[in-house]
Amino acid sequence: QVQLVESGGGWVQPGGSRRLSCAASGFTFSRYTMSWYRQAPGKERILVATINEAGSGTGYADSVKGRFTISRDNAKNTVYLQMNSLSPEDTAVYYCNARRVTIAYWGQGTQVTVSS
């Protein structure tokens, strides 16, 4: 049974930091590109960051470049998203995604709220 379980969401003040984790099981994690998406209220889900199978290549949305860092630990079947300098515009539900060719898996999402 495939599972992607996000954790680490919550409330944070503007300028603060948060680290999200996504624990994967039920598939060969090291063979999948992993990504984080987010969806703000009333908006479409958008790609935030992605990392290749080996962890040697990453990509980021312009809105988070320089503030967010995606990483993975294939030994732990876990992908992370370190979020720094958070602003209210980063408030959203953050989703973990695993992708290989035409196969895609999603987590249930974790809420991140940035407010004072």
Side-chain angles (χ1 to χ4, degrees), residues 9-14 18 83 86-88 90-94 110-116:
W11 174 81
V12 60
Q13 289 187 329
R18 203 84 181 177
M83 305 184 294
L86 286 162
S87 71
D90 296 313
T91 295
V93 178
Y94 285 72
T110 186
Q111 175 72 46
V112 174
T113 301
V114 185
S115 72
S116 54

Side-chain angles (χ1 to χ4, degrees), residues 28-59:
T28 307
F29 180 78
S30 61
R31 294 183 180 178
Y32 282 70
T33 296
M34 298 300 298
S35 301
W36 287 95
Y37 287 73
R38 71 185 183 188
Q39 186 167 19
K43 296 188 177 181
E44 293 185 349
R45 189 175 300 187
I46 62 169
L47 177 63
V48 173
T50 192
I51 188 166
N52 67 3
E53 293 85 340
S56 57
T58 59

Side-chain angles (χ1 to χ4, degrees), residues 70-83:
I70 189 171
S71 61
R72 67 190 295 163
D73 185 337
N74 285 348
K76 295 183 178 179
N77 288 355
T78 302
V79 62
Y80 305 96
L81 185 67
Q82 177 66 43
M83 305 184 294

